[in-house]
Amino acid sequence: MSAPAQITILIPDPDEMMFITGNNDTNIDRIEREFAVKIVSRGAELRIMGEPANVARVGELVSAMRTLSDRDENLRKPALERLIGDAKDSPVGTPEQLHDVVATTVRGKRITPQSVNQQRYVEAIRSHDLVFATGPAGTGKSYLAVALGVAALRDRKVARLILTRPAVEAGERLGFLPGDLTEKIDPYLRPLYDALYELMPPERFARAMERGEIEVAPLAFMRGRAQPVFSKVLTPTGFTPIGALSVGDLVVGSDGRPTAVLGVYPQGRKPVYRVQTQDGASTLACGEHLWALATASDRRHGRAPRIVQTRDMVGHLRAAHRHRYEMPLLSRPVEFERYHILMDPYALGLLLGDGCVTTSTTPAFSTADPSLVAVLESRLPNIEVSRKGEIDKLQLAGRKSADKFIPTEYLYNTPDVRLAVMQGLLDTDGGPVTQDGRTCRIQYTTTSPRLREDMVFLVRSFGGVAYWRTRRAEGRKPGRAGGRDVLYRHDAYVVEIRLPAGIAPFQLARKRDLYDVHGGGRPMRFIDSVEPAGEVETVCIKVAAADSLYITDDFLVTHNTLNEAFIILDEAQNATQAQMKMFLTRLGYGSQAVVNGDITQIDLEKDQRSGLVAAREILRGVEGLAFVDFEDRDVVRHELVARIVRAYDRYEKK
């Protein structure tokens, strides 16, 4: 038997000494029983005597206990219980570990790991993009994850914090609960809200929710970012129904370039809304579909777009009588595949504008600008001999002003081809419109409905905005020709155009110079209305674009995955295998996910296997993931909780 050892620890703070010894020395009595040592408290000194190994371990325990002395009473008791239990079996966590401050509450309380497993959990979240944590209730899994998520959002490491839970507990179903949707789901999400309220000032939390920086929703809603299967999505060859897409197909991203489809997720029948912008563009999407939008305040302060759900826009589309939400436009022209063309694209635009292609005679061109005649002659050599056949091949032969159109191979072609066609049309039937004190807009007029739609298509494909209105032929004052009145036979369509910087709308010198002097302004597209539009079959996709944006109907830019987000899936033991796979495969670029659950408390039907249990088996060994297993000694709730957990464990093992 080794010689007895003794150490003396100086604790000058009376409150700290009282915490260490406990009321009526209850802590001292318990430590003496657990470690077979003698402890004497005299003034500011604490003397520990006994076997050297036991004395050293109790010395470490006291040092760790001192780090807890300034904590909330509700945290100190279970933490002390855990420390004493840990000290019997393993080295006590060092004070440095226990002082790793994860976050600070609105009341100034520091949130720190309180056990070795909690420290491992924090370190895993900091160093891995996907972390699975399992263990009993009360071990701090959810709270620490929320604290780290709030810190990541505050430090701008992520753009969004998303908290979700499966809405399946104790056999209940949302449809049978009273109240509206919010009242139905709030009981499931209340623990997450409570953590957020402790960690964020009320005004900051409300602002983050309004901006879409924080989203709290049942897991089923996480898969709901959907559009009808017949909605169009832009691809490098043109628009395609979203329901026809497969993984590996290419769609067009917000930068105009192709981006791969990484996932296709059928959503079944869902209520949808028609989202319409002020320039007449529209598409359909479900209430949970995501949009990257900016307010006037966001632009003034240089903030990134906020992510907003369709349903959250309803009733909030105006601010001080102005449109609230501005939608992003294409940042670069769309890059369609290159098609072989029969005629110079600028020459085609000139002919569609001021040309006659009836084919009863040689194609003719009439204009007040001699320079355009010279350009056309240079672009179309031997025009009298060869061009009639090419016009036949383009299906323009016999077309009059009211039924002309741009052939498909020119509309869906490279940016240089599309721009040249647009310039030919604007040099003949368009021009700059100036106003004092304002930037220059572009106006184009045609009597052909198809040519009107084609011009709108061209403008939008460059990231511009186009409006149009109709000037009715009926009732208009006749024109004059040859000294007599000439009635208008067709309605005229006036297209108002704004193009982004760098896109030159004219080649004709006098129009180009006027436009350059006054400047073209910035094209803007605002959400104008969001209205219910029935219930249809829907699908959602995930794309590889870094910003998760892709182009849908009318060149609207929309969003559908979870990039740059800190995502917490809580109570994951109640997620089905299909839900878990959906959740994990939606993880976007620059995102982190934390999956928490207690596999001893599964509330799924007997024929359904827990997605968390399956994921632990399937994903073990996958690089880049971390698994942390909590025990009853990590419980940080009331000291009775740890004892209850241990009692149940012993009972279930029997």
Side-chain angles (χ1 to χ4, degrees):
M1 181 176 179
S2 58
Q6 175 179 315
I7 60 173
T8 301
I9 300 175
L10 184 64
I11 307 177
D13 185 339
D15 291 335
E16 188 175 349
M17 177 64 83
M18 176 64 71
F19 173 73
I20 300 299
T21 60
N23 292 331
N24 298 319
D25 291 342
T26 53
N27 290 344
I28 287 180
D29 292 343
R30 181 176 178 193
I31 293 172
E32 287 180 334
R33 292 195 307 271
E34 297 283 2
F35 296 95
V37 295
K38 176 67 175 176
I39 302 176
V40 177
S41 171
R42 292 186 182 277
E45 292 184 349
L46 193 71
R47 296 178 183 176
I48 307 169
M49 298 162 285
E51 289 288 324
N54 293 345
V55 169
R57 189 173 290 275
V58 172
E60 293 176 359
L61 173 60
V62 171
S63 295
M65 291 169 67
R66 296 181 69 181
T67 67
L68 305 177
S69 61
D70 61 348
R71 297 189 181 179
D72 183 89
E73 182 70 14
N74 292 328
L75 292 176
R76 292 191 303 183
K77 289 182 178 179
L80 183 62
E81 180 83 12
R82 187 207 69 256
L83 280 177
I84 294 174
D86 282 353
K88 294 187 298 182
D89 304 318
S90 59
V92 179
T94 65
E96 290 76 15
Q97 285 179 316
L98 297 173
H99 273 128
D100 182 2
V101 179
V102 174
T104 303
T105 70
V106 293
R107 296 183 178 182
K109 298 294 183 180
R110 294 175 298 173
I111 307 302
T112 63
Q114 298 181 47
S115 71
V116 173
N117 276 335
Q118 285 195 0
Q119 183 66 40
R120 287 182 56 236
Y121 181 52
V122 169
E123 292 172 352
I125 294 174
R126 287 171 172 167
S127 57
H128 293 79
D129 289 337
L130 179 58
V131 176
F132 289 86
T134 56
T139 50
K141 303 184 298 295
S142 302
Y143 195 90
L144 283 174
V146 173
L148 287 163
V150 169
L153 185 65
R154 179 200 62 211
D155 297 339
R156 295 298 178 187
K157 294 179 180 178
V158 296
R160 303 176 65 209
L161 173 60
I162 301 173
L163 302 94
T164 182
R165 288 181 134 187
V168 179
E169 296 181 20
E172 297 177 0
R173 295 294 181 270
L174 287 179
F176 295 97
L177 296 179
D180 60 20
L181 183 59
T182 300
E183 292 169 331
K184 289 174 185 287
I185 65 177
D186 268 359
Y188 296 99
L189 306 173
R190 180 52 50 189
L192 302 179
Y193 280 114
D194 290 343
L196 288 169
Y197 291 147
E198 283 193 33
L199 294 161
M200 300 182 73
E203 65 280 1
R204 172 72 180 93
F205 174 70
R207 189 166 62 252
M209 291 288 285
E210 191 272 334
R211 286 175 53 85
E213 292 178 346
I214 294 179
E215 178 182 348
V216 185
L219 179 60
F221 284 21
M222 295 292 293
R223 61 179 294 154
R225 290 91 161 100
Q227 289 187 273
V229 293
F230 53 78
S231 292
K232 299 294 193 300
V233 173
L234 191 61
T235 75
T237 58
F239 281 99
T240 298
I242 190 173
L245 294 174
S246 301
V247 174
D249 288 346
L250 296 178
V251 298
V252 175
S254 65
D255 60 356
R257 297 179 177 180
T259 182
V261 175
L262 301 181
V264 177
Y265 310 101
Q267 301 298 298
R269 292 185 66 83
K270 295 178 68 71
V272 295
Y273 296 79
R274 180 164 295 280
V275 179
Q276 183 164 320
T277 56
Q278 93 288 4
D279 62 335
S282 71
T283 189
L284 296 173
C286 74
E288 297 79 39
H289 194 76
L290 300 177
W291 304 87
L293 307 173
T295 65
S297 175
D298 295 335
R299 286 201 169 276
R300 282 197 305 270
H301 294 91
R303 291 191 287 252
R306 62 184 67 191
I307 306 303
V308 181
Q309 294 187 108
T310 307
R311 63 185 179 190
D312 292 337
M313 292 190 283
V314 177
H316 299 90
L317 295 177
R318 299 291 187 275
H321 306 294
R322 296 184 179 182
H323 291 99
R324 181 188 297 273
Y325 296 119
E326 182 178 350
M327 181 179 289
L329 296 164
L330 282 160
S331 59
R332 292 180 48 177
V334 174
E335 296 183 3
F336 292 122
E337 295 180 358
R338 181 176 292 277
Y339 282 99
H340 172 70
I341 53 177
L342 299 173
M343 183 184 295
D344 179 88
Y346 182 67
L348 176 66
L350 294 178
L351 284 174
L352 289 173
D354 284 347
C356 174
V357 290
T358 62
T359 70
S360 58
T361 62
T362 299
F365 181 68
S366 174
T367 180
D369 287 286
S371 59
L372 291 183
V373 177
V375 171
L376 188 61
E377 288 177 345
S378 67
R379 301 288 181 99
L380 299 180
N382 304 318
I383 183 171
E384 292 188 3
V385 177
S386 63
R387 294 300 138 182
K388 182 175 178 179
E390 292 185 1
I391 289 173
D392 286 339
K393 292 178 182 178
L394 293 173
Q395 299 182 359
L396 292 173
R399 300 284 178 177
K400 298 182 180 180
S401 61
D403 60 1
K404 292 179 182 178
F405 65 93
I406 301 175
T408 301
E409 56 267 41
Y410 288 82
L411 272 181
Y412 294 93
N413 212 314
T414 56
D416 59 310
V417 171
R418 301 199 311 276
L419 180 60
V421 174
M422 184 172 68
Q423 289 172 333
L425 287 166
L426 293 176
D427 278 349
T428 51
D429 287 338
V433 178
T434 61
Q435 290 177 277
D436 290 340
R438 301 189 65 179
T439 55
C440 180
R441 72 180 190 276
I442 306 161
Q443 194 173 86
Y444 170 74
T445 305
T446 180
T447 58
S448 168
R450 287 191 63 183
L451 209 49
R452 175 200 68 201
E453 293 301 317
D454 291 345
M455 175 58 77
V456 171
F457 180 97
L458 288 175
V459 171
R460 290 172 174 171
S461 76
F462 286 105
V465 173
Y467 308 75
W468 61 271
R469 54 189 169 85
T470 304
R471 290 203 326 234
R472 298 293 179 189
E474 184 179 355
R476 288 179 64 189
K477 183 179 178 180
R480 298 284 291 176
R484 60 187 178 86
D485 290 344
V486 178
L487 297 175
Y488 290 98
R489 290 180 292 177
H490 302 286
D491 293 342
Y493 304 100
V494 181
V495 185
E496 305 285 351
I497 297 167
R498 293 278 186 181
L499 288 169
I503 304 298
F506 307 106
Q507 289 192 25
L508 188 62
R510 64 180 178 83
K511 295 184 179 182
R512 182 184 63 237
D513 294 344
L514 184 60
Y515 182 78
D516 291 344
V517 167
H518 290 83
R522 181 175 70 87
M524 293 180 284
R525 178 178 263 178
F526 296 95
I527 302 291
D528 188 63
S529 64
V530 179
E531 302 290 343
E535 184 177 290
V536 295
E537 286 292 325
T538 60
V539 66
C540 74
I541 62 173
K542 175 183 178 181
V543 299
D547 59 7
S548 296
L549 300 176
Y550 64 92
I551 309 303
T552 186
D553 301 286
D554 295 336
F555 290 89
L556 293 171
V557 179
T558 191
H559 188 291
N560 213 4
T561 47
L562 305 174
N563 286 359
E564 297 184 348
F566 192 105
I567 313 162
I568 302 170
L569 173 54
D570 200 36
E571 299 291 344
Q573 74 276 4
N574 291 325
T576 65
Q577 282 189 258
Q579 287 177 324
M580 181 63 72
K581 182 180 179 182
M582 176 275 297
F583 173 82
L584 295 176
T585 55
R586 298 266 326 261
L587 186 65
Y589 295 100
S591 292
Q592 283 184 271
V594 181
V595 181
N596 295 323
D598 180 357
I599 58 177
T600 67
Q601 296 186 16
I602 298 172
D603 295 321
L604 294 171
E605 301 290 347
K606 291 183 179 180
D607 60 342
Q608 290 183 311
R609 192 179 187 211
S610 167
L612 178 59
V613 173
R616 282 164 53 85
E617 296 177 7
I618 296 169
L619 300 178
R620 286 282 186 183
V622 174
E623 186 178 355
L625 310 185
F627 292 85
V628 180
D629 297 314
F630 287 91
E631 304 171 349
D632 59 272
R633 290 182 298 182
D634 300 305
V635 171
V636 291
R637 293 181 182 170
H638 194 285
E639 59 265 29
L640 283 176
V641 174
R643 299 173 191 169
I644 291 169
V645 170
R646 285 195 292 269
Y648 268 93
D649 285 344
R650 289 193 297 269
Y651 177 80
E652 289 168 358
K653 287 177 181 178
K654 293 179 181 179

